[in-house]
Amino acid sequence: MTATSTVTLVPASEDILETAAHYLIDHAAELPDLSRCVVLLPDLQFAPRLRRQLLLAVASRGHSALLGPVISTPDQWLRENIPIGKAIPGPARRELLLVEVLKQHPGVLPGSDPWALAASLIALFDELTLNRVPVPDELDAFTWRLQDAYGIDEHLPAPLGMEARLVHTLWLAWHEELHAADSIDPGMAHLQRLAAHRNSDDDRHYCLVGFDELSAAETEWLGSLLEAGRAHCLVYRGTPAAATDPPRPFQVLLDSAAGSATGDTPFDLALEAILASHSRPPPERARELRATFEASPLADRLRLLPASSAEQEALAIDLQVRQWLIDGRQAIGIVTEDRRLARRVRALLERAGISLQDSGGWALSTTSAAAAMERWLETVEEDFDHLPLLDVLKSPFVFPDDDREQLRNTVFRLEQDVVLHENVGRGLARYRKHIELRQQRLPDGWTTTTADTMQQLLNRLDHAAEPLRELAGTAMASPALLLQRLHTSLGELGMWRAFEADPAGRRIQQEWQLLLEAAQHSTVEMSWLEFRTWLGAALERHDFRPATADSPVQLLTLQQAQLGRYDGLVIGACDREHLPSLPASPPFFNDPVRRDLGLPVRPDHYQLQLQRFRRLLGNAPRVLLTWAAESAGEPRLPAAWLDALQTFHELAWQDDLVDAQLAQQVAHPASRVAGTNPLDMPQPSGHPAPVLPAG
């Protein structure tokens, strides 16, 4: 690659991956060799599309193939190419280490849950490390820093002083614990990799594409590469922030190094007038925009659909996607932060025979494999309560080698004859006793075979629960022992073997292995309740993305959709709960203090989400925005950005942008796909004809 150190701003209406492909081809030192070029993306799901754009761009130069480039993410590329000598604990190991630190300092925050506190502290420590916030060794110096950030001239009030002491004490103890274990924090390892790469002499050229946010340390790293002529950055141009918003480090870098951008389209100018920060009132801006554009630049591309319920919203998205596919659109995106809506839309489309590429996935804890394991643990904890017990017995993961028809019959008889007719709600001993009593009362109608089969089933469950029974209480045990007993119990049920044939089950086994490796180096002992919290957090932390066939329909989150280009785009759940999806308020330090320390704050995230929403509207020639006025019996309000679009457009062009035709079609039963049923249709029944005796 030829040296360049500029940042190129790309309008939202252009395809940034296509622009990047032409940049790489135009600046290649010797085509078709791009092996010394490294392209870094925020998400690798768009790497295949970048490769296609590269092949299209190089074909115009007479080449049918390329050598390279390497396509990766910054974190993955640094981990693969710059080794760190010390051990780096994973999430589970970090959690155990920090809980151990918290238990060594019980007076720091008495009465708190160390497991909940550990998760918050890990997030805070990562932010402090990656944003290069110094934490002095002396508590007084740290307290003075916070006192200045809070704007307090005298001593910190008791709650704020406790906050300072807690963070400072645990920060130092955490790093002492890492040093004693000859380990290094993942954030510090990332900083070391960034520094080592910044000072290296490799002759590769780095092209960063599509980033809209980096930490302070990553921004410094990128700035040094740009200054040395070792990198080029292509980013979407953002809507200017309000004058009162302090600039973020990454935005400062872009503003100082950016090259010129191409002109705006009428669509871009209209969105700029609506969504950017302005001091003038909306009616004045609407009149000015109407004077510039007599016809609306938005009306042909942007439509809204207010639904009366969450189900109607899902039906509208399903119908719109099917209509676009019939019209021949090849790339359709469904973007939503509401996973419940995403799963309902997925079910509706699959009923119509349309598969989806689900890039968002869902929490591993919500898969059927994890649910089966959870119900089994509840069964042991609740003395074989009939509700979790029957769920377990009806799961395909339990006793997978048994004859399924025979097992279903046995479970049915247990549910009908013992649980319902004998009114037995829990307890293996009570189930066994009432099976015997029923057998004595009904020797003819209730055969010995049925009773024996149920008794054998209960015996197998009793044997499978034995490894966990003594631990599922108040006893303390090592996490390694608890994990091994869990493995043994699931093995007796056949559930562990069944997991091997299920993608989500295999992912649970991998997570179990990571937890076991972390537990083998820990001296922490935990109760059963703490173990359940630790295990549940691990399953909740990891997303499960099933392998799906190539499909023209993608299901994405707002962040994942940034580099895509679509023939049709639906943005669902445009309500105030999900758009923007802001992080929870951090438990430590308020926004002004975090701003003073150099940490990200909620207004930053809000502005970032607005930029992403704004860019996404320009990624397709046809965009549908939906929201539901009610969900689960609770009213919902439209998102402020959606409200601004609709109100402004109605002021300027007397059009509320509502897709009335789609709303009418959704209400018609013929627009829905009927499901298939393998059973024969029932025949109409008639009344028996009366018979008059001859006499």
Side-chain angles (χ1 to χ4, degrees), residues 305 313-314 317 333-338 341-342 345 555-556 558 569-575 578-579 613 616 623-628 636:
L305 185 78
E313 182 182 15
I317 296 173
I334 304 173
V335 178
T336 181
E337 300 292 333
D338 185 351
L341 174 64
V345 169
L555 196 55
L556 310 115
L558 189 64
L569 182 67
V570 178
I571 305 179
C574 295
D575 54 70
H578 297 98
L579 189 71
F613 176 73
L616 203 54
V623 180
L624 175 68
L625 303 171
T626 69
W627 67 282
R636 282 181 174 175

Short mmCIF file of all heavy atoms in Angstrom, two decimals, residues 305 313-314 317 333-338 341-342 345 555-556 558 569-575 578-579 613 616 623-628 636:
data_model
loop_
_atom_site.label_atom_id
_atom_site.label_comp_id
_atom_site.label_asym_id
_atom_site.label_seq_id
_atom_site.Cartn_x
_atom_site.Cartn_y
_atom_site.Cartn_z
N LEU A 305 -45.27 2.67 10.78
CA LEU A 305 -46.45 1.86 11.06
C LEU A 305 -46.66 1.78 12.57
O LEU A 305 -45.98 1.00 13.24
CB LEU A 305 -46.33 0.46 10.47
CG LEU A 305 -47.62 -0.35 10.66
CD1 LEU A 305 -48.65 0.08 9.62
CD2 LEU A 305 -47.37 -1.83 10.56
N GLU A 313 -47.56 -5.65 15.52
CA GLU A 313 -46.28 -5.16 15.00
C GLU A 313 -45.49 -6.29 14.34
O GLU A 313 -44.94 -6.14 13.25
CB GLU A 313 -45.46 -4.53 16.12
CG GLU A 313 -44.14 -3.95 15.63
CD GLU A 313 -43.30 -3.36 16.76
OE1 GLU A 313 -43.60 -3.66 17.94
OE2 GLU A 313 -42.34 -2.63 16.47
N ALA A 314 -45.46 -7.44 15.00
CA ALA A 314 -44.75 -8.60 14.42
C ALA A 314 -45.40 -9.04 13.11
O ALA A 314 -44.71 -9.37 12.14
CB ALA A 314 -44.72 -9.74 15.43
N ILE A 317 -44.39 -6.62 10.32
CA ILE A 317 -43.01 -6.84 9.84
C ILE A 317 -42.96 -8.09 8.97
O ILE A 317 -42.33 -8.10 7.90
CB ILE A 317 -42.05 -6.96 11.03
CG1 ILE A 317 -42.01 -5.63 11.81
CG2 ILE A 317 -40.65 -7.34 10.56
CD1 ILE A 317 -41.21 -5.70 13.09
N GLY A 333 -33.09 -6.26 5.78
CA GLY A 333 -32.63 -6.22 7.16
C GLY A 333 -33.79 -5.95 8.11
O GLY A 333 -34.65 -5.11 7.84
N ILE A 334 -33.82 -6.68 9.23
CA ILE A 334 -34.77 -6.43 10.32
C ILE A 334 -33.93 -6.05 11.53
O ILE A 334 -33.18 -6.87 12.05
CB ILE A 334 -35.63 -7.66 10.63
CG1 ILE A 334 -36.35 -8.14 9.38
CG2 ILE A 334 -36.61 -7.36 11.75
CD1 ILE A 334 -37.08 -9.47 9.58
N VAL A 335 -34.05 -4.80 11.96
CA VAL A 335 -33.22 -4.28 13.03
C VAL A 335 -34.11 -3.99 14.23
O VAL A 335 -35.10 -3.27 14.12
CB VAL A 335 -32.50 -2.98 12.59
CG1 VAL A 335 -31.68 -2.41 13.74
CG2 VAL A 335 -31.60 -3.27 11.40
N THR A 336 -33.77 -4.56 15.36
CA THR A 336 -34.52 -4.30 16.59
C THR A 336 -33.66 -4.63 17.80
O THR A 336 -32.82 -5.54 17.75
CB THR A 336 -35.83 -5.10 16.63
OG1 THR A 336 -36.53 -4.79 17.84
CG2 THR A 336 -35.57 -6.60 16.58
N GLU A 337 -33.90 -3.90 18.87
CA GLU A 337 -33.24 -4.18 20.15
C GLU A 337 -34.16 -4.99 21.06
O GLU A 337 -33.76 -5.35 22.17
CB GLU A 337 -32.87 -2.86 20.85
CG GLU A 337 -31.91 -1.98 20.06
CD GLU A 337 -30.53 -2.57 19.94
OE1 GLU A 337 -30.14 -3.35 20.83
OE2 GLU A 337 -29.82 -2.26 18.95
N ASP A 338 -35.37 -5.28 20.61
CA ASP A 338 -36.34 -6.04 21.40
C ASP A 338 -36.25 -7.51 20.99
O ASP A 338 -36.74 -7.90 19.93
CB ASP A 338 -37.75 -5.49 21.14
CG ASP A 338 -38.81 -6.16 22.02
OD1 ASP A 338 -38.48 -7.15 22.69
OD2 ASP A 338 -39.96 -5.68 22.02
N LEU A 341 -39.61 -9.32 20.30
CA LEU A 341 -40.15 -9.04 18.97
C LEU A 341 -39.36 -9.81 17.91
O LEU A 341 -39.95 -10.36 16.97
CB LEU A 341 -40.10 -7.54 18.70
CG LEU A 341 -40.49 -7.10 17.29
CD1 LEU A 341 -41.95 -7.43 17.00
CD2 LEU A 341 -40.23 -5.61 17.09
N ALA A 342 -38.04 -9.86 18.05
CA ALA A 342 -37.21 -10.55 17.06
C ALA A 342 -37.58 -12.03 16.98
O ALA A 342 -37.70 -12.59 15.88
CB ALA A 342 -35.74 -10.38 17.42
N VAL A 345 -41.04 -12.44 15.24
CA VAL A 345 -40.93 -12.24 13.79
C VAL A 345 -40.26 -13.43 13.15
O VAL A 345 -40.66 -13.90 12.07
CB VAL A 345 -40.15 -10.94 13.50
CG1 VAL A 345 -39.80 -10.85 12.02
CG2 VAL A 345 -40.97 -9.73 13.92
N LEU A 555 -31.47 -10.64 10.63
CA LEU A 555 -32.00 -10.12 11.89
C LEU A 555 -30.82 -9.56 12.67
O LEU A 555 -29.89 -10.29 13.00
CB LEU A 555 -32.69 -11.25 12.66
CG LEU A 555 -33.64 -10.90 13.79
CD1 LEU A 555 -34.73 -9.94 13.35
CD2 LEU A 555 -34.25 -12.16 14.37
N LEU A 556 -30.86 -8.25 12.98
CA LEU A 556 -29.68 -7.58 13.53
C LEU A 556 -30.08 -6.61 14.64
O LEU A 556 -31.23 -6.23 14.79
CB LEU A 556 -28.93 -6.79 12.44
CG LEU A 556 -28.60 -7.48 11.14
CD1 LEU A 556 -29.36 -6.82 10.01
CD2 LEU A 556 -27.11 -7.44 10.86
N LEU A 558 -29.00 -2.69 16.28
CA LEU A 558 -28.66 -1.40 15.70
C LEU A 558 -27.17 -1.30 15.41
O LEU A 558 -26.75 -0.80 14.37
CB LEU A 558 -29.11 -0.28 16.64
CG LEU A 558 -29.02 1.15 16.11
CD1 LEU A 558 -29.96 1.34 14.94
CD2 LEU A 558 -29.34 2.14 17.22
N LEU A 569 -35.45 -2.28 4.54
CA LEU A 569 -35.01 -2.28 5.94
C LEU A 569 -36.20 -2.00 6.85
O LEU A 569 -36.96 -1.06 6.62
CB LEU A 569 -33.93 -1.22 6.15
CG LEU A 569 -33.32 -1.11 7.55
CD1 LEU A 569 -32.52 -2.36 7.88
CD2 LEU A 569 -32.44 0.12 7.66
N VAL A 570 -36.37 -2.85 7.87
CA VAL A 570 -37.37 -2.62 8.90
C VAL A 570 -36.64 -2.34 10.21
O VAL A 570 -35.76 -3.10 10.61
CB VAL A 570 -38.30 -3.85 9.07
CG1 VAL A 570 -39.30 -3.59 10.19
CG2 VAL A 570 -39.02 -4.17 7.79
N ILE A 571 -37.00 -1.26 10.87
CA ILE A 571 -36.50 -0.98 12.21
C ILE A 571 -37.68 -1.12 13.15
O ILE A 571 -38.61 -0.30 13.13
CB ILE A 571 -35.88 0.43 12.31
CG1 ILE A 571 -34.80 0.60 11.24
CG2 ILE A 571 -35.29 0.66 13.70
CD1 ILE A 571 -34.13 1.97 11.25
N GLY A 572 -37.69 -2.18 13.95
CA GLY A 572 -38.81 -2.49 14.82
C GLY A 572 -38.59 -2.02 16.24
O GLY A 572 -37.47 -1.71 16.66
N ALA A 573 -39.66 -2.01 17.01
CA ALA A 573 -39.64 -1.58 18.42
C ALA A 573 -39.07 -0.18 18.57
O ALA A 573 -38.20 0.07 19.40
CB ALA A 573 -38.87 -2.58 19.27
N CYS A 574 -39.57 0.75 17.73
CA CYS A 574 -39.12 2.15 17.82
C CYS A 574 -39.90 2.86 18.92
O CYS A 574 -40.58 3.87 18.69
CB CYS A 574 -39.30 2.86 16.48
SG CYS A 574 -38.27 2.22 15.16
N ASP A 575 -39.83 2.33 20.12
CA ASP A 575 -40.48 2.94 21.27
C ASP A 575 -39.42 3.44 22.24
O ASP A 575 -38.23 3.20 22.07
CB ASP A 575 -41.41 1.93 21.96
CG ASP A 575 -40.68 0.64 22.31
OD1 ASP A 575 -39.83 0.67 23.22
OD2 ASP A 575 -40.95 -0.40 21.68
N HIS A 578 -36.84 0.91 23.84
CA HIS A 578 -35.81 0.23 23.06
C HIS A 578 -35.02 1.14 22.12
O HIS A 578 -34.01 0.72 21.57
CB HIS A 578 -36.45 -0.89 22.23
CG HIS A 578 -37.08 -1.97 23.06
ND1 HIS A 578 -38.43 -1.99 23.33
CD2 HIS A 578 -36.54 -3.04 23.69
CE1 HIS A 578 -38.70 -3.04 24.08
NE2 HIS A 578 -37.59 -3.70 24.32
N LEU A 579 -35.47 2.36 21.90
CA LEU A 579 -34.76 3.26 20.97
C LEU A 579 -34.69 4.65 21.58
O LEU A 579 -35.71 5.35 21.65
CB LEU A 579 -35.49 3.31 19.63
CG LEU A 579 -34.76 4.04 18.50
CD1 LEU A 579 -33.57 3.23 18.04
CD2 LEU A 579 -35.69 4.30 17.31
N PHE A 613 -28.61 5.39 14.30
CA PHE A 613 -29.98 5.42 13.77
C PHE A 613 -30.04 6.29 12.52
O PHE A 613 -30.65 5.90 11.51
CB PHE A 613 -30.91 5.97 14.86
CG PHE A 613 -32.33 6.14 14.41
CD1 PHE A 613 -33.15 5.04 14.20
CD2 PHE A 613 -32.85 7.41 14.20
CE1 PHE A 613 -34.47 5.21 13.80
CE2 PHE A 613 -34.16 7.57 13.79
CZ PHE A 613 -34.97 6.48 13.59
N LEU A 616 -28.45 4.52 9.60
CA LEU A 616 -29.22 3.35 9.16
C LEU A 616 -30.37 3.74 8.24
O LEU A 616 -30.72 2.99 7.33
CB LEU A 616 -29.75 2.62 10.40
CG LEU A 616 -30.11 1.14 10.23
CD1 LEU A 616 -28.94 0.37 9.67
CD2 LEU A 616 -30.55 0.55 11.56
N VAL A 623 -37.46 2.07 3.84
CA VAL A 623 -37.31 1.84 5.28
C VAL A 623 -38.68 1.91 5.92
O VAL A 623 -39.46 2.84 5.67
CB VAL A 623 -36.37 2.87 5.93
CG1 VAL A 623 -36.24 2.61 7.43
CG2 VAL A 623 -35.00 2.85 5.27
N LEU A 624 -38.98 0.91 6.77
CA LEU A 624 -40.22 0.90 7.54
C LEU A 624 -39.87 0.95 9.02
O LEU A 624 -39.09 0.13 9.51
CB LEU A 624 -41.02 -0.37 7.23
CG LEU A 624 -42.30 -0.57 8.07
CD1 LEU A 624 -43.34 0.49 7.70
CD2 LEU A 624 -42.86 -1.98 7.90
N LEU A 625 -40.44 1.92 9.73
CA LEU A 625 -40.25 2.06 11.17
C LEU A 625 -41.54 1.66 11.87
O LEU A 625 -42.62 2.18 11.55
CB LEU A 625 -39.90 3.51 11.53
CG LEU A 625 -38.67 4.11 10.84
CD1 LEU A 625 -38.56 5.59 11.12
CD2 LEU A 625 -37.41 3.41 11.32
N THR A 626 -41.45 0.73 12.82
CA THR A 626 -42.66 0.24 13.50
C THR A 626 -42.53 0.41 15.01
O THR A 626 -41.43 0.41 15.55
CB THR A 626 -42.92 -1.24 13.18
OG1 THR A 626 -41.90 -2.05 13.81
CG2 THR A 626 -42.91 -1.50 11.68
N TRP A 627 -43.65 0.52 15.66
CA TRP A 627 -43.69 0.49 17.13
C TRP A 627 -45.08 0.06 17.56
O TRP A 627 -46.05 0.18 16.81
CB TRP A 627 -43.33 1.85 17.72
CG TRP A 627 -44.33 2.95 17.45
CD1 TRP A 627 -44.48 3.65 16.29
CD2 TRP A 627 -45.33 3.44 18.34
NE1 TRP A 627 -45.50 4.56 16.41
CE2 TRP A 627 -46.03 4.46 17.67
CE3 TRP A 627 -45.68 3.14 19.65
CZ2 TRP A 627 -47.08 5.17 18.25
CZ3 TRP A 627 -46.73 3.84 20.24
CH2 TRP A 627 -47.41 4.84 19.54
N ALA A 628 -45.18 -0.47 18.77
CA ALA A 628 -46.45 -0.96 19.30
C ALA A 628 -46.90 -0.05 20.43
O ALA A 628 -46.13 0.28 21.32
CB ALA A 628 -46.30 -2.39 19.81
N ARG A 636 -47.03 1.90 25.57
CA ARG A 636 -45.70 2.33 25.13
C ARG A 636 -45.82 3.61 24.31
O ARG A 636 -46.78 3.76 23.55
CB ARG A 636 -45.03 1.24 24.27
CG ARG A 636 -44.44 0.09 25.07
CD ARG A 636 -43.78 -0.90 24.14
NE ARG A 636 -43.08 -1.96 24.87
CZ ARG A 636 -42.50 -2.99 24.29
NH1 ARG A 636 -42.53 -3.11 22.97
NH2 ARG A 636 -41.87 -3.91 25.01
#
